[in-house]
Amino acid sequence: MTRYIIRRLIQAVPLLIAISVIVFAIVEIAPGDPAQMYVDPEKGADPEYIAQVRRSLGLDQPVYVRYVSWLAKTLQGDFGFSFRTRRPVALEIGDRLPNTLLLGGVALVMSILIAVPIGIISALKRYTLIDYILSTLALVGISVPVFWVALVLLQVFAIHLNWLPGVGMRSVRVQYEGFEATLDVIRHMILPATVLSLAQTASWSRYQRSSLLEVLGQDYIRTARAKGARERRVIGLHALRNALIPMVTLIGLSVPSIVTGAFITETIFGWPGMGRLGVESINGRDYPIIMAVTMLSAVLIVVGNLLADIAYAWVDPRIRYD
Amino acid sequence: MRKTLLSLLLVVGLLLPVMAVNAQGGEDFVCPNKGGTMVVSYGGDPRTLSGLYANDGNSLFVVTFMAEPLILGGENWGDKIEPALAESWEISEDGLEYTFHLRQGVKWHDGEPFTAEDVLFTYQAVQLEENAIDWRPNLMQGDQPMQFEVVDDYTFKVILNEPDAAVLTSLAIPIVPKHAFESLNMVDAPYNTNPIATGPFKFVEWKTGESITLDANPDYWRGAPCLDRIVVRFIEGATNTANALLAGEVDFARVDGADVTPFQDNPDFVLQTAPRDLMRYVGFNVRSPNFSDPAVRRALAVGLDRQAIIDVAAGGYGMLADSLFNRAVFMYEEGRNEQYPYDPELAKQMLAEAGWTDTDGDGILDKDGQPMHMRLAYMGTWSLMQAIAPVIYDNWRALGVDVELAPLDEAKAYEEIYENTSTEKPYDATIGGWGLFGPEPDHYRNYLANPTGFFAFNNQQIIDLFNQGRKVTDPQARYDLYAEIDRLLWEDLPMIPLYQAVGAWAYRSDLNIDAAELNGTFLTGLKYPGRVYFEAQ
């Protein structure tokens, strides 16, 4: 197992380097120039000032020189400075990451807690009214665009009913302390977490349903029933454990998106997380942040895949990697 | 739409006399009610909180609540030259020496006294090239730096190499405290994220991605602010801002376009408008053979339905321009120039008089065998330009101009238009916008009296007058001179000013901003944020 993990990690290195080259190239080719973000196009910038800004950002170097120096620094754990704020990239990300992890983590747990039972019920009550209702709801959940759901929830619960706050992560008029502060964050989290988990819940419940149905048709289930095991035991012990295996992959693959954040949801709800940082850095042509965020996501996808594979072996002893 | 515009003009018309009275009312404002937190909103995290580095909207917005220049009237600092940290000033006979008398008893937010040493430190830091401060050209005359002298704690002198009547607005740079820095080098100074200033509100806390908290400065020289606190919330996008206002998460914000609708006739909100110091224009490449004749340019102005552009592109929030200068310039006078009315028939007639007729019956005007082709270049990624371009296309096509739309991506737009310092322009006309020039018309020189500007406009008479304008210090003489430039430019029309933008601000109905004066030439929209107060319930 250890050898397998090491081999996978070594394989990941050329992959990550290739990704970094591609991302660096895309950012380079994309229109817009960080130095121009320092000036208002309407005012017609002084070319000398632009040249000075470019020098101070190191943009006067050829692209391959910049790439190599970026790579060398990144390998030493130095992600450089944000072009926009001149703060270290690590600090910028450090400010946002906990907020995104909180929101994404809560949404993930919500999705699992709702999707798995729904999938199980649908599978066990296959082709009944309840299955049709749940399936239809799932279809709607997958189909409606995230921004639309977000805006509707915002209109209804934040603006018309005024039950829940719709902007940001904390109240700004009152500064809460201790437990009240936690409660305040939870209240702010309800709408964005619901939106984030909705599409995921819908699609995961479908996966759970079909995977359980597939397992229920297997020979060992028939064997279990034949030897007189009670239905509870058949489903709970034999069927469910096996039906959860594909779910582990799905959840493992969704881990990176929890860290990199949700661009649309975070922007609409003003959540101070990685997704908004991503949007702001792309709008502001903040190359070091764009690189850091994309590389972080690449690393996490690689690691997420690996974790999913390891988790496989754990939930299913039949799987061996030696 | 017409109704909106009418009420808007009314509001503007009514505001002008009120503003004049208040300006004289001066410093003895008494808060009718004290306390409370006002939540305002703007796009995203500031780049910096230092007044010297703030030149993007996000940063300027926050800085404007905290920092102050010697004089109001520069970029983002209002439309009139008025005393701020400098109480008064004198100009020497030869126009080379400006002596400023600084306000006494002003304290920095940390309690230290404000003196002439701080002003000297600020201006020297700006002049230091390594600091890469955008204001630097303001304090340079060509390659020569301006000279400064501290006469005593409250007297400061600026010494010029040659007379420059525009210098007052150039000096409108927020002052920073000398004692907050270790050296003149301030690129990475801690001050940039933890500022100390003299303004009505002082910095308390910055939560990245969320908000910035500013508390009232009880020692403010104009009097302690009525509010206890202002929170600047970062909200991206006009629709999200409008939603936050409606949800009660924000108290005061600028709203835009379709997002204005929910605030109209809404008893919970007040919707108020003010002209912004921004002009939208379609400018000609005056060296292009087809458009070098002023008569042709005037005809095209007559053939352009600019009101339609205001309605379509700006949702009615614009004022038809009758000058190439924005209304903020000190010599602006409504009605000085006769408006070019929208009249396509008259336009065709004017073009025919200038020699342009459709002789070969292909629907395109021609003269001496040359068809009237126009390559109209603009930044295609700018949604406002996307909205304006089709109206121009339709109107001028109808006159027989062979308009070719050339929406450019950003890099190309910079290359062809904004950073193109040659007299050769690869376009016949360009749509754009500019502004934030403040009351000083000299700031238009780069565009209107510069053969390498966007319009390649090279009118020697106008260039001479602009140069003269820098040397004349007598106010009346300056006024007459720039009024003459205004008239000449309106005749020659190197660019057709489409409209001046009007901003709409929505705020909670129990918030009173009358004495704070809504003013679109400040990014915050508020001239005296210290005078905003909540009405007693």
Side-chain angles (χ1 to χ4, degrees):
Chain A
M1 192 67 181
T2 321
R3 280 183 58 192
Y4 170 76
I5 295 175
I6 292 171
R7 204 174 67 227
R8 282 283 299 267
L9 287 176
I10 292 174
Q11 280 169 353
V13 173
L15 180 67
L16 288 175
I17 290 182
I19 292 172
S20 73
V21 171
I22 293 169
V23 175
F24 209 91
I26 289 175
V27 169
E28 187 66 28
I29 296 165
D33 174 341
Q36 279 157 2
M37 296 298 150
Y38 273 65
V39 293
D40 195 332
E42 301 182 22
K43 292 192 315 206
D46 174 11
E48 210 172 295
Y49 174 70
I50 297 234
Q52 200 174 21
V53 170
R54 293 180 64 86
R55 266 198 306 280
S56 80
L57 296 177
L59 288 167
D60 51 339
Q61 307 277 336
V63 60
Y64 55 90
V65 174
R66 281 188 281 129
Y67 176 74
V68 171
S69 97
W70 172 83
L71 188 64
K73 279 188 183 161
T74 304
L75 290 176
Q76 294 163 31
D78 174 6
F79 299 99
F81 283 80
S82 155
F83 281 175
R84 289 183 310 143
T85 60
R86 289 184 185 268
R87 291 173 74 216
V89 171
L91 260 183
E92 289 284 339
I93 289 183
D95 277 348
R96 310 294 187 106
L97 194 55
N99 302 338
T100 282
L101 284 178
L102 180 68
L103 181 64
V106 167
L108 177 80
V109 172
M110 274 171 67
S111 300
I112 296 173
L113 291 183
I114 301 172
V116 171
I118 287 184
I120 295 171
I121 295 170
S122 283
L124 297 180
K125 313 261 181 198
R126 185 158 58 142
Y127 304 141
T128 63
L129 182 63
I130 188 149
D131 179 31
Y132 287 129
I133 292 175
L134 289 174
S135 297
T136 311
L137 285 179
L139 187 69
V140 172
I142 294 169
S143 313
V144 289
V146 168
F147 75 89
W148 184 82
V149 179
L151 289 176
V152 168
L153 290 184
L154 196 67
Q155 278 292 334
V156 174
F157 293 102
I159 296 175
H160 286 289
L161 298 173
N162 212 354
W163 287 352
L164 292 166
V167 183
M169 184 173 154
R170 272 178 271 263
S171 301
V172 291
R173 274 182 238 281
V174 197
Q175 311 250 315
Y176 293 106
E177 301 287 332
F179 177 66
E180 296 230 300
T182 316
L183 216 63
D184 187 41
V185 173
I186 292 174
R187 275 166 28 86
H188 279 83
M189 204 158 48
I190 295 176
L191 288 181
T194 307
V195 170
L196 262 188
S197 77
L198 187 76
Q200 224 166 26
T201 306
S203 79
W204 287 1
S205 71
R206 301 302 294 162
Y207 276 106
Q208 178 65 62
R209 177 180 181 273
S210 53
S211 111
L212 184 56
L213 281 177
E214 197 186 316
V215 171
L216 286 175
Q218 296 289 327
D219 288 345
Y220 57 82
I221 299 294
R222 200 173 313 138
T223 312
R225 285 193 175 124
K227 73 181 185 188
R230 274 199 311 252
E231 192 63 17
R232 270 185 89 103
R233 198 174 155 81
V234 173
I235 304 288
L237 187 74
H238 299 285
L240 256 187
R241 266 196 82 171
N242 286 301
L244 279 174
I245 295 173
M247 295 305 291
V248 171
T249 321
L250 278 177
I251 293 166
L253 289 178
S254 77
V255 166
S257 71
I258 292 177
V259 178
T260 53
F263 278 38
I264 296 171
T265 312
E266 287 188 7
T267 302
I268 292 179
F269 290 102
W271 192 265
M274 297 283 289
R276 258 192 83 185
L277 183 66
V279 172
E280 286 164 11
S281 63
I282 290 170
N283 284 342
R285 305 295 187 276
D286 198 341
Y287 293 176
I289 302 253
I290 299 177
M291 286 307 294
V293 171
T294 38
M295 287 319 290
L296 186 65
S297 128
V299 169
L300 287 166
I301 287 171
V302 171
V303 174
N305 271 313
L306 182 58
L307 284 180
D309 286 346
I310 295 170
Y312 260 18
W314 177 64
V315 292
D316 187 351
R318 287 171 305 179
I319 296 171
R320 291 263 178 277
Y321 291 121
D322 299 317
Chain B
M1 209 53 86
R2 293 250 180 267
K3 200 178 132 211
T4 338
L5 189 82
L6 189 71
S7 50
L8 182 144
L9 289 173
L10 274 174
V11 167
V12 172
L14 288 172
L15 271 179
L16 289 172
V18 173
M19 267 158 44
V21 172
N22 270 350
Q24 289 180 352
E27 271 87 70
D28 37 65
F29 175 78
V30 180
C31 294
N33 194 26
K34 293 203 87 157
T37 298
M38 172 170 75
V39 185
V40 297
S41 94
Y42 209 80
D45 283 294
R47 207 198 288 285
T48 173
L49 294 180
S50 162
L52 299 186
Y53 285 106
N55 63 351
D56 60 302
N58 292 344
S59 312
L60 274 172
F61 186 85
V62 181
V63 164
T64 312
F65 285 118
M66 300 186 291
E68 289 172 308
L70 288 188
I71 325 149
L72 296 185
E75 195 176 294
N76 181 51
W77 293 101
D79 46 6
K80 277 201 292 286
I81 292 180
E82 282 169 69
L85 286 176
E87 229 166 2
S88 61
W89 53 89
E90 292 132 27
I91 308 169
S92 67
E93 280 294 313
D94 57 5
L96 290 175
E97 272 192 27
Y98 285 65
T99 309
F100 293 91
H101 300 288
L102 308 185
R103 209 169 285 278
Q104 304 199 8
V106 174
K107 279 193 189 130
W108 291 100
H109 292 155
D110 61 357
E112 297 284 322
F114 156 78
T115 70
E117 289 294 337
D118 297 314
V119 183
L120 178 69
F121 175 81
T122 303
Y123 288 167
Q124 282 178 340
V126 171
Q127 283 180 337
L128 192 67
E129 196 167 0
E130 297 90 272
N131 279 340
I133 292 172
D134 198 17
W135 299 107
R136 188 165 175 268
N138 284 32
L139 303 184
M140 302 288 289
Q141 292 190 296
D143 289 337
Q144 291 296 310
M146 291 177 187
Q147 304 295 313
F148 308 112
E149 192 189 320
V150 172
V151 180
D152 60 45
D153 271 1
Y154 299 103
T155 314
F156 183 77
K157 237 181 219 179
V158 176
I159 301 144
L160 307 180
N161 309 306
E162 50 178 334
D164 176 2
V167 75
L168 283 178
T169 52
S170 301
L171 292 173
I173 297 170
I175 306 298
V176 298
K178 184 181 181 188
H179 68 268
F181 294 88
E182 282 170 11
S183 72
L184 271 179
N185 202 308
M186 48 176 65
V187 173
D188 291 313
Y191 181 88
N192 299 345
T193 50
N194 191 11
I196 296 164
T198 56
F201 290 88
K202 55 184 175 187
F203 176 72
V204 178
E205 190 188 11
W206 179 355
K207 286 198 188 110
T208 328
E210 288 184 71
S211 59
I212 282 185
T213 306
L214 308 170
D215 271 357
N217 168 16
D219 301 321
Y220 186 46
W221 58 269
R222 281 189 212 271
C226 311
L227 296 167
D228 285 339
R229 172 171 280 190
I230 288 181
V231 177
V232 182
R233 239 184 159 152
F234 309 137
I235 297 173
E236 206 88 47
T239 307
N240 294 331
T241 306
N243 281 336
L245 270 163
L246 290 168
E249 307 267 355
V250 168
D251 303 324
F252 175 93
R254 193 161 69 77
V255 285
D256 233 346
D259 298 302
V260 172
T261 322
F263 302 99
Q264 283 161 344
D265 305 314
N266 184 334
D268 298 332
F269 293 94
V270 180
L271 185 66
Q272 218 180 324
T273 59
R276 303 183 73 208
D277 191 9
L278 295 172
M279 185 71 85
R280 312 302 177 195
Y281 60 79
V282 52
F284 297 96
N285 169 8
V286 171
R287 284 169 57 100
S288 156
N290 290 351
F291 304 99
S292 55
D293 181 359
V296 170
R297 303 197 289 263
R298 282 193 293 267
L300 291 176
V302 171
L304 185 59
D305 189 354
R306 293 182 289 153
Q307 186 58 49
I309 292 178
I310 296 177
D311 292 344
V312 169
Y317 285 89
M319 302 162 96
L320 214 53
D322 64 352
S323 164
L324 273 64
F325 294 96
N326 298 0
R327 283 162 186 258
V329 290
F330 78 92
M331 80 300 180
Y332 177 79
E333 208 179 286
E334 192 159 3
R336 172 185 294 133
N337 300 315
E338 196 188 333
Q339 190 57 269
Y340 292 109
Y342 173 53
D343 186 344
E345 285 313 311
L346 178 62
K348 277 182 199 163
Q349 199 186 320
M350 288 167 78
L351 283 167
E353 280 162 19
W356 291 90
T357 45
D358 182 12
T359 56
D360 51 8
D362 64 350
I364 303 296
L365 298 176
D366 53 78
K367 182 182 179 181
D368 307 333
Q370 275 297 325
M372 188 180 257
H373 177 79
M374 170 190 280
R375 182 169 183 269
L376 182 60
Y378 54 95
M379 195 185 273
T381 51
W382 188 358
S383 58
L384 184 66
M385 300 297 116
Q386 289 169 5
I388 294 176
V391 184
I392 298 178
Y393 180 90
D394 280 353
N395 282 186
W396 287 353
R397 271 267 158 173
L399 299 179
V401 184
D402 178 23
V403 183
E404 173 208 343
L405 293 185
L408 308 174
D409 67 37
E410 261 168 70
K412 206 84 184 120
Y414 275 100
E415 186 189 318
E416 283 198 15
I417 310 168
Y418 299 118
E419 281 175 14
N420 180 348
T421 50
S422 98
T423 53
E424 296 297 325
K425 307 293 179 188
Y427 47 82
D428 301 299
T430 174
I431 324 171
W434 68 31
L436 305 176
F437 297 122
E440 178 49 61
D442 186 58
H443 295 314
Y444 292 74
R445 193 162 41 104
N446 260 338
Y447 309 100
L448 300 175
N450 174 4
T452 66
F454 303 157
F455 318 126
F457 184 54
N458 192 359
N459 178 324
Q460 200 52 49
Q461 190 188 1
I462 290 173
I463 294 176
D464 289 344
L465 283 171
F466 262 108
N467 287 338
Q468 225 176 309
R470 287 166 76 82
K471 301 195 178 87
V472 179
T473 45
D474 174 59
Q476 189 55 47
R478 278 202 102 212
Y479 181 95
D480 295 342
L481 193 144
Y482 283 107
E484 178 64 13
I485 295 181
D486 186 21
R487 269 193 295 268
L488 287 172
L489 282 169
W490 189 249
E491 281 283 298
D492 215 329
L493 218 59
M495 64 91 148
I496 303 172
L498 297 174
Y499 67 91
Q500 189 174 336
V502 169
W505 280 263
Y507 56 94
R508 260 167 67 164
S509 52
D510 60 343
L511 201 61
N512 189 312
I513 65 160
D514 297 346
E517 289 180 30
L518 192 73
N519 187 320
T521 59
F522 291 85
L523 253 178
T524 55
L526 295 168
K527 185 168 184 185
Y528 303 117
R531 297 177 185 174
V532 175
Y533 63 92
F534 282 103
E535 272 158 10
Q537 295 300 311

